[in-house]
Amino acid sequence: MNPGKASGPAVRIENLDKHYGTFHALRKVNLSVGRGERIVVCGPSGSGKSTVIRCINRLEQHDGGRITVLGTELNDDVANIDGIRREVGMVFQHFNLFPHMTVLENCMIAPMIVRKLPRTEAETTARRYLEKVRIPEQAMKFPGQLSGGQQQRVAIARALCMQPQIMLFDEPTSALDPEMISEVLDVMVTLASDGMTMICVTHEMGFARRVADRVVFMDGGEIVEEAPPEEFFTSCRNDRTRQFLSQILGH
Amino acid sequence: MVSLLRNQKVRNALLQVLYVGALAALVLAGVVIARRNLAEQGITSGFDFLYKSTGWDVNFSLLPATANDPYWWFFLIGIINTLFLGTVGLMLATLVGTIVGLARTSSNELARLLGRTYVDIFRNIPLILQVFFWYAVITHLPTPRAAHEAWGMMLTSRGLYVPIPNVGAIAFAAAILAVIAAIALPVWLGRTSRLSQPFGERLGIQLAAAATALATAAVILALGRLPDLPLLDFPALQGLNLKGGLRIPPEFSALAIAIAIYGGSYIAEIVRGGFKSVGKGQMEAALSLGLSPWRVFTLVRLPLALRAMLPILANQYVWLMKATTMGIAVGFTDFFMIVALTINHSGQTLETIGILMAGFLAINLSLAAIFNRINKAIALKGNQLRA
């Protein structure tokens, strides 16, 4: 199995279904993300947007439909799951850094164990990405000694150290103090301009307007609307979308 | 004057003085009353009795013991017996607790049910009943003539007989220390930052250290070997009884099993709590990086769970260490029983109780100090966000 060599879209989601007990979390979701494409997913809480991207790297198991990532179908085959997780990085709302490791170790652990990189090479890569997220001087500190914004940038660096082809962002700025949001968004904008395939669940509409190729609006476990940002913000067709936008852009 | 009394600092100082004064008066009164009572009963106080021979024997000792040995030697035997029982009991309890605790956090329903049943049963039966139960079971094992035999060991109603090397006591202890060093040194070498070699490239040094320590142990054993005897002393039937080897008496086994099973049920809960306290987020992050479930466990889940467990575990260890005094119930000559026997024979109640308390304080404070150091060394740095 060697994800990434095959052509075709980066992620293809077809008729995705997901239940939590009796709760129908996702209803026949269809989404295709091309290579190098930047997608912003938004929607009210409970709309299923996080669930969709958590299905892409199998943090959640879907129970209907098909997910194909970099040409590999995501199924019960452990080799497929491992292969896809190697190529798909994820950034979480609450950073989820490993608190018992230094920033540098956080960034080195997966490349050394999963990619079998020698230590020196892993350290060079880690320092390069810490430079990229603009905190090279914090390498020897522990996550608990950093601010929220710094921690989130470490989390981005940690994911990038695996040199993934796709990056998933699950509300990366929602747990941050307002003055720290921009430092994280700046890093994400840089990443986007480097041509990374990105799927971002976020409510930062400024970010969506600036970097997204497409904005996807979800509600009640369905994709309600899908459009390029300028069209999405100016002439959305759906009532639910309009209502949502008026709520978050109202102030 | 009145305003001085209203000053907070003056008040605090005054309270301290009163408190210390009251405490000193209490201690002084105790000593005076004790001396007068002892004098009335014609008992001389003091620690001279420590150098007299006891005139009685102990039923289990890792050190050579006869009725001619002085009291201080018997106290030492008692402390070593308590430490031996405590160490074996704590290690077994930790093993049982880890297995049951992991079963309780497992995703397997049957394992969870078994774990819960275990904890519910053994945590709720008093330790002393469990000691008596295991003692009854063991003393109803077959007689030496019909002993269960395995790997040179013999299990009988008179105890478990294990082969021991024919080596001098000091050499044997030194060899054990060398074996412990063979395990501890590589671990330390792998973690210390005092070496110039980077982490992960120290396998050679670690192996060399372990090999050296093991070789030292072998040399010590060879040098300390008792002349004209085979290297290993196997137990064998002689008449109606077994001779040779080391006899682990039923009292010891019963206590060790009871502490392992009872302590294990408490430790299982600590282990479960530790694993539950690890945020799901950290494990998801590790999975999303492509680490295998086993790596997620050893690199993230276990280290974080251990940090949550250690402080409570230290508490439990101190508690279980004190529970070894149950030995007196079945007649195991632990520290407490030696003290009780000494009181009966010498009448030096206050002094021996003092020694007993000082001994347990020393044991448990050392245990606490060790755990505090470990805790401090591995404590998470900075503020932790719980997600």
Side-chain angles (χ1 to χ4, degrees):
Chain A
M1 218 242 23
N2 195 359
K5 293 288 177 278
S7 56
V11 179
R12 189 204 300 275
I13 296 171
E14 294 158 287
N15 293 322
L16 191 65
D17 256 305
K18 168 83 189 163
H19 297 259
Y20 291 110
T22 55
F23 177 67
H24 203 166
L26 297 178
R27 300 160 191 267
K28 302 257 172 288
V29 170
N30 284 285
L31 181 68
S32 182
V33 181
R35 288 174 193 245
E37 210 181 356
R38 276 94 54 174
I39 307 286
V40 163
V41 185
C42 61
S45 93
S47 61
K49 53 197 191 306
S50 284
T51 309
V52 170
I53 70 164
R54 287 166 58 85
C55 280
I56 296 174
N57 65 356
R58 227 337 127 125
L59 290 183
E60 302 288 347
Q61 211 166 325
H62 56 282
D63 40 44
R66 275 165 66 100
I67 301 177
T68 315
V69 181
L70 301 163
T72 305
E73 189 182 343
L74 192 56
N75 48 26
D76 291 330
D77 188 337
V78 182
N80 284 7
I81 297 173
D82 286 346
I84 286 169
R85 281 180 178 163
R86 272 201 289 274
E87 301 300 331
V88 179
M90 188 162 196
V91 175
F92 299 84
Q93 182 176 3
H94 295 289
F95 333 134
N96 299 349
L97 294 172
F98 310 131
H100 57 305
M101 300 180 193
T102 61
V103 163
L104 195 62
E105 287 168 341
N106 263 281
C107 295
M108 287 165 63
I109 189 94
M112 280 173 59
I113 287 171
V114 180
R115 294 253 191 242
K116 312 250 182 279
L117 282 193
R119 175 170 283 268
T120 45
E121 208 173 309
E123 186 171 337
T124 317
T125 316
R127 291 205 184 266
R128 190 170 78 235
Y129 281 110
L130 286 175
E131 192 97 37
K132 197 180 167 81
V133 300
R134 297 181 210 117
I135 38 172
E137 72 284 357
Q138 312 283 10
M140 298 320 282
K141 285 199 183 164
F142 285 86
Q145 297 167 320
L146 305 182
S147 73
Q150 291 172 324
Q151 289 193 50
Q152 193 60 299
R153 284 184 284 151
V154 173
I156 295 174
R158 174 178 68 179
L160 290 177
C161 281
M162 280 294 286
Q163 310 197 306
Q165 305 191 34
I166 301 169
M167 283 286 285
L168 308 174
F169 292 83
D170 190 3
E171 307 208 29
T173 55
S174 302
L176 294 177
D177 290 332
E179 77 273 17
M180 293 173 185
I181 291 177
S182 66
E183 67 188 51
V184 171
L185 289 180
D186 284 347
V187 168
M188 290 169 66
V189 170
T190 319
L191 202 56
S193 61
D194 291 348
M196 174 67 77
T197 308
M198 292 164 71
I199 305 176
C200 313
V201 171
T202 182
H203 293 147
E204 297 296 332
M205 289 304 133
F207 173 79
R209 225 187 274 264
R210 212 164 129 204
V211 302
D213 294 309
R214 257 187 302 154
V215 180
V216 172
F217 174 71
M218 288 187 70
D219 191 18
E222 293 170 311
I223 292 184
V224 175
E225 192 144 359
E226 199 181 328
E230 61 278 17
E231 191 184 320
F232 181 81
F233 289 113
T234 51
S235 53
C236 53
R237 284 154 295 202
N238 194 288
D239 282 344
R240 281 189 285 178
T241 319
R242 234 171 307 182
Q243 196 196 346
F244 175 73
L245 282 179
S246 73
Q247 277 164 349
I248 65 165
L249 299 174
H251 303 285
Chain B
M1 185 65 205
V2 175
S3 69
L4 200 63
L5 275 178
R6 280 217 307 251
N7 183 315
Q8 199 177 25
K9 276 186 192 149
V10 173
R11 274 189 179 198
N12 287 345
L14 216 60
L15 277 175
Q16 287 289 343
V17 170
L18 281 176
Y19 176 68
V20 172
L23 208 62
L26 212 63
V27 171
L28 202 66
V31 171
V32 169
I33 292 169
R35 293 197 115 198
R36 203 174 54 210
N37 287 349
L38 287 175
E40 271 171 17
Q41 291 172 33
I43 297 172
T44 48
S45 58
F47 290 93
D48 294 339
F49 75 98
L50 283 177
Y51 303 99
K52 292 180 188 149
S53 64
T54 55
W56 38 275
D57 215 341
V58 290
N59 64 8
F60 176 77
S61 168
L62 293 171
L63 301 171
T66 68
N68 294 324
D69 287 322
Y71 277 102
W72 68 265
W73 182 249
F74 271 43
F75 282 136
L76 190 65
I77 288 172
I79 288 182
I80 288 179
N81 281 355
T82 289
L83 282 177
F84 183 51
L85 174 61
T87 313
V88 171
L90 291 192
M91 288 198 308
L92 290 177
T94 309
L95 186 72
V96 171
T98 308
I99 295 169
V100 176
L102 282 176
R104 289 211 66 182
T105 53
S106 117
S107 52
N108 183 321
E109 197 132 352
L110 182 64
R112 277 208 308 272
L113 183 71
L114 285 175
R116 225 189 97 184
T117 315
Y118 178 92
V119 171
D120 281 348
I121 291 177
F122 291 106
R123 200 172 55 166
N124 293 315
I125 298 174
L127 178 56
I128 194 156
L129 292 185
Q130 299 196 33
V131 172
F132 280 136
F133 173 77
W134 292 111
Y135 187 62
V137 168
I138 291 167
T139 48
H140 283 81
L141 285 169
T143 59
R145 276 168 166 264
H148 294 298
E149 243 186 290
W151 306 302
M153 299 190 293
M154 294 189 139
L155 186 61
T156 76
S157 60
R158 299 204 185 158
L160 177 67
Y161 291 75
V162 291
I164 48 162
N166 274 319
V167 173
I170 295 170
F172 190 59
I176 289 178
L177 282 181
V179 171
I180 293 172
I183 300 165
L185 259 180
V187 174
W188 180 77
L189 285 170
R191 303 191 59 92
T192 182
S193 48
R194 289 187 199 182
L195 288 181
S196 55
Q197 278 87 352
F199 298 97
E201 290 168 28
R202 295 177 175 176
L203 193 63
I205 311 175
Q206 285 170 311
L207 286 179
T212 314
L214 284 179
T216 314
V219 170
I220 293 172
L221 283 181
L223 288 177
R225 202 176 145 181
L226 300 179
D228 310 325
L229 287 170
L231 184 60
L232 276 179
D233 183 18
F234 283 100
L237 197 62
Q238 214 176 70
L240 285 174
N241 212 342
L242 289 165
K243 284 275 185 287
L246 174 71
R247 183 179 81 107
I248 296 173
E251 295 82 26
F252 179 88
S253 311
L255 284 162
I257 295 173
I259 288 175
I261 287 181
Y262 176 80
S265 68
Y266 277 90
I267 291 175
E269 288 299 271
I270 297 172
V271 170
R272 183 172 74 106
F275 278 104
K276 285 231 155 164
S277 78
V278 179
K280 231 176 100 200
Q282 269 80 27
M283 291 191 282
E284 285 182 348
L287 284 173
S288 78
L289 287 166
L291 292 166
S292 66
W294 171 247
R295 290 296 199 171
V296 174
F297 179 80
T298 57
L299 293 172
V300 178
R301 201 165 166 224
L302 184 64
L304 290 178
L306 265 182
R307 282 168 172 81
M309 281 180 232
L310 268 184
I312 326 171
L313 213 50
N315 216 11
Q316 192 64 38
Y317 282 169
V318 167
W319 196 98
L320 285 178
M321 205 40 121
K322 290 184 286 188
T324 58
T325 50
M326 291 276 174
I328 203 166
V330 288
F332 176 69
T333 44
D334 71 327
F335 192 26
F336 182 42
M337 182 150 170
I338 298 262
V339 163
L341 289 171
T342 304
I343 292 172
N344 272 342
H345 286 89
S346 72
Q348 307 285 349
T349 314
L350 289 176
E351 294 86 348
T352 39
I353 294 278
I355 292 173
L356 175 69
M357 294 201 295
F360 265 102
L361 266 181
I363 294 173
N364 278 342
L365 287 180
S366 323
L367 201 62
I370 293 170
F371 269 87
N372 278 340
R373 260 207 93 152
I374 301 176
N375 263 328
K376 218 176 242 166
I378 64 171
L380 298 178
K381 313 274 189 311
N383 299 314
Q384 299 308 318
L385 176 104
R386 278 224 120 8

